[in-house]
């Protein structure tokens, strides 16, 4: 792997922060365990609007221990239209990296029989592309680390052969034959061919704040980190899937771009996102809006936190955030994900003392796929991870309102409906480890 930054300097900096970071993690664990009353009296921290770009969080993160047991990926999803028929189709492009310090001249795939027996950890860059809808498909192309070039400072660049990804552009080709699929189940891939060349303009950001800040990143405080630089992203360009050409336009790409990194994946795994939102109150498109929800069971060190989702709605310029890592916001979350005969259904209620978002999304199973990843330790525990890009449903958004009674009765706080919103073209994901 070719790197354009001094890793020794990074390690020295992380070592110098060790004592400070240790205290930071202790403070977070203590705050999470406190009662609401204690949090209210002790925490006096500023709340920053979540919609602020921070491309430093999109940098390549696999340093130190994560270089030997860690993953880092950049995810992009969007909608396109067939160049001749106008048929709509949703696509995804992902650059996935794992355990760079263990690699070299060859890509090491953890799911081969021999590597499973010897408990060999995987090491490679994988370019994952595909599509949802009728006959959903995922295609994988693997590169050895000696073939990969990474620009580690912001803004990031990563490339290998004719595959390239940055903050503003991605292009490449993945071609997997039926014979390769049959001979190599460790590829975890379908058969097919996809070319793409896309530019992207990230319009709205969900910055989770302190939970993915530099001290906590350096300390590897969480098992899995998240940054959503493009919760609303305008894509433009072209995709060719199995010989069929699709055009991607800024106006109706309904794009999304984020990244995850860490030591292992979360279970349960929940993700919902869309920028195709329409007000049911006015019937008008919400052109400056997007929402995203993600998480499941995050870990701070060895401590697992149940039923924790991060959520945000940017509603026509107004932020509504539901972020458990900002403990002073007193966020509460309830969620339930289930499978019916034909659909996967998500129901999420997130609430702070002053705002509430009730989200219900469904996606047809026959338009989804089981997305495949292996973990940095070489295991593949997520064998039933539903993944789709054609979800739809409804969001009810509320804010707390002080109701004044005309009859002289005591005023009281009530939930006021801001808007009921129709959701389309939603990215969606749900899965749990096999029990």
């Amino acid at each position: 792997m070719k790197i354009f930054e001094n890793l020794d300097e990074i390690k020295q900096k992380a070592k110098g922060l060790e004592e400070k970071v240790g205290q930071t993690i202790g403070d977070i664990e203590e705050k999470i365990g406190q009662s609401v009353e204690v949090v209210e009296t002790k925490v006096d921290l500023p709340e920053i609007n979540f919609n602020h770009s921070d491309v430093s969080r999109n940098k390549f993160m696999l340093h130190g221990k994560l270089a030997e047991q860690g993953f880092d990926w950049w995810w992009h999803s969007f909608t396109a239209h067939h160049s001749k028929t106008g048929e709509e189709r949703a696509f995804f492009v992902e650059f996935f990296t794992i355990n760079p310090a263990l690699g070299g001249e060859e890509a090491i795939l953890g799911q081969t029989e021999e590597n499973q027996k010897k408990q060999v950890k995987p090491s490679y860059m994988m370019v994952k592309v595909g599509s949802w809808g009728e006959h959903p498909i995922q295609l994988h192309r693997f590169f050895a680390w000696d073939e990969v070039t990474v620009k580690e400072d912001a803004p990031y660049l990563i490339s290998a052969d004719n595959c390239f990804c940055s903050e503003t552009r991605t292009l490449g080709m993945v071609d997997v034959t039926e014979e390769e699929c049959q001979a190599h189940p460790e590829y975890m891939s379908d058969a097919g061919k996809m070319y793409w060349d896309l530019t992207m303009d990230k319009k709205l950001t969900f910055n989770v704040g302190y939970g993915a800040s530099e001290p906590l990143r350096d300390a590897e405080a969480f098992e899995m980190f998240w940054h959503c630089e493009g919760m609303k992203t305008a894509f433009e360009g072209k995709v060719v899937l199995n010989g069929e050409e699709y055009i991607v336009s800024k106006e109706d790409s309904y794009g999304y771009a984020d990244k995850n990194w860490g030591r292992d994946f979360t279970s349960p795994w929940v993700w919902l996102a869309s920028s195709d939102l329409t007000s049911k109150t006015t019937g008008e498109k919400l052109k400056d809006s997007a929402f995203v929800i993600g998480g499941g069971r995050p870990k701070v060190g060895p401590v697992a936190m149940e039923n924790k989702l991060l959520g945000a709605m940017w509603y026509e310029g107004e932020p509504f955030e539901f972020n458990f890592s900002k403990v002073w916001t007193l966020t509460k979350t309830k969620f339930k994900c289930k499978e019916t005969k034909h659909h996967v259904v998500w129901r999420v209620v997130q609430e702070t003392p002053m705002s509430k978002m009730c989200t219900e999304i469904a996606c047809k199973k026959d338009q989804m796929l089981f997305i495949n990843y292996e973990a940095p330790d070489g295991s593949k525990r997520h064998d039933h991870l539903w993944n789709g890009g054609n979800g739809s449903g409804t969001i009810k958004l509320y804010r707390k309102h002080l109701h004044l009674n005309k009859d002289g009765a005591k005023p009281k706080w009530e939930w006021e409906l801001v808007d009921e919103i129709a959701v389309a073209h939603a990215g969606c994901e749900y899965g749990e480890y096999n029990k």
Side-chain angles (χ1 to χ4, degrees), residues 76-78 167 199-204 229-235 250 253-257 275:
H76 316 82
S77 50
F78 54 91
E167 289 286 358
T199 60
M200 60 187 106
D201 182 5
K202 297 171 182 177
K203 301 289 190 180
L204 299 173
E229 183 67 22
M231 68 183 288
K232 179 175 182 177
T233 299
F235 286 88
K250 290 182 178 181
S253 65
Y254 308 116
Y256 174 90
S275 58

Side-chain angles (χ1 to χ4, degrees), residues 23-95:
Q23 182 62 48
T24 300
I25 296 172
D27 290 345
I28 288 180
E29 290 177 341
E30 181 181 356
K31 289 170 185 173
I32 290 171
Q34 287 173 331
S35 68
V36 169
E37 290 78 16
V38 173
V39 171
E40 285 178 331
T41 58
K42 284 192 174 184
V43 179
D44 183 20
L45 297 171
E47 183 169 2
I48 301 172
N49 185 327
F50 66 77
N51 182 21
H52 61 99
S53 171
D54 184 355
V55 296
S56 71
R57 299 184 180 211
N58 265 5
K59 294 191 300 184
F60 183 69
M61 297 294 187
L62 299 186
H63 311 297
K65 293 180 180 178
L66 287 183
E68 297 184 354
Q69 183 158 325
F71 70 91
D72 192 1
W73 78 58
W74 296 265
W75 170 271
H76 316 82
S77 50
F78 54 91
T79 296
H81 291 85
H82 195 282
S83 60
K84 294 180 180 178
T85 67
E87 174 199 4
E88 187 176 81
R89 193 163 183 91
F91 292 89
F92 59 89
V93 172
E94 178 183 20
F95 281 62

Side-chain angles (χ1 to χ4, degrees), residues 135-408:
H135 307 302
I137 187 174
Q138 64 181 319
L139 306 173
H140 294 164
R141 182 179 180 184
F142 297 90
F143 293 96
W145 275 107
D146 283 359
E147 301 175 278
V148 179
T149 300
V150 179
K151 174 180 174 288
E152 295 202 353
D153 57 328
Y156 82 95
L157 302 172
I158 187 166
S159 66
D161 193 23
N162 55 10
C163 293
F164 172 87
C165 193
S166 73
E167 289 286 358
T168 58
R169 191 179 182 191
T170 180
L171 56 89
M173 179 196 74
V174 178
D175 184 1
V176 187
T177 67
E178 288 284 0
E179 291 76 16
E180 287 174 321
C181 284
Q182 294 297 322
H184 297 283
E186 68 272 16
Y187 289 178
M188 306 176 292
S189 177
D190 299 318
K193 182 186 293 186
M194 181 168 144
Y195 303 83
W196 70 98
D197 188 353
L198 301 164
T199 60
M200 60 187 106
D201 182 5
K202 297 171 182 177
K203 301 289 190 180
L204 299 173
T205 296
F206 177 36
N207 188 318
V208 304
Y210 190 66
S213 60
E214 187 173 6
L216 296 192
R217 299 198 306 264
D218 289 344
E220 299 175 16
F222 285 93
E223 191 171 61
M224 186 173 184
F225 288 89
W226 183 31
H227 177 62
C228 184
E229 183 67 22
M231 68 183 288
K232 179 175 182 177
T233 299
F235 286 88
E236 186 173 38
K238 182 170 66 175
V239 176
V240 180
L241 176 64
N242 293 330
E244 300 295 324
E245 183 182 70
Y246 294 83
I247 304 301
V248 186
S249 301
K250 290 182 178 181
E251 295 74 21
D252 55 9
S253 65
Y254 308 116
Y256 174 90
D258 74 357
K259 79 169 304 191
N260 287 93
W261 70 96
R263 297 185 303 274
D264 200 358
F265 310 133
T266 187
S267 178
W269 184 325
V270 178
W271 171 62
L272 296 167
S274 177
S275 58
D276 184 9
L277 308 178
T278 304
S279 170
K280 288 190 173 184
T281 304
T282 65
E284 296 181 356
K285 282 280 190 181
L286 301 175
K287 296 182 179 181
D288 184 26
S289 299
F291 92 98
V292 65
I293 295 170
R297 190 173 180 263
K299 288 184 178 180
V300 179
V303 180
M305 296 179 287
E306 302 290 343
N307 299 322
K308 296 295 184 182
L309 298 180
L310 296 163
M313 165 67 80
W314 184 260
Y315 177 78
E316 297 300 278
E318 183 178 358
F320 292 81
E321 183 175 12
F322 308 91
N323 188 335
F324 71 88
S325 72
K326 296 181 178 179
V327 292
W328 59 94
T329 65
L330 309 180
T331 297
K332 299 177 182 178
T333 296
K334 295 180 181 179
F335 70 89
K336 184 177 182 180
C337 305
K338 68 175 185 178
E339 296 181 36
T340 67
K341 185 177 180 180
H342 299 293
H343 293 83
V344 181
V345 180
W346 295 257
R347 293 187 178 94
V348 184
V349 178
Q350 295 179 287
E351 181 180 334
T352 71
M354 299 306 295
S355 58
K356 180 166 65 173
M357 186 166 73
C358 303
T359 305
E360 183 166 341
I361 302 293
C363 194
K364 293 181 179 179
K365 286 182 174 181
D366 61 7
Q367 295 188 1
M368 304 178 73
L369 49 82
F370 290 129
I371 201 160
N372 289 323
Y373 300 102
E374 56 183 348
D377 64 2
S379 63
K380 189 176 183 296
R381 292 185 289 274
H382 270 300
D383 283 327
H384 200 79
L385 182 54
W386 286 104
N387 175 271
N390 296 313
S392 60
T394 301
I395 294 175
K396 292 182 179 179
L397 189 63
Y398 300 87
R399 68 165 65 90
K400 194 65 71 70
H401 173 72
L402 184 61
H403 179 72
L404 302 175
N405 295 295
K406 296 181 179 180
D407 57 6

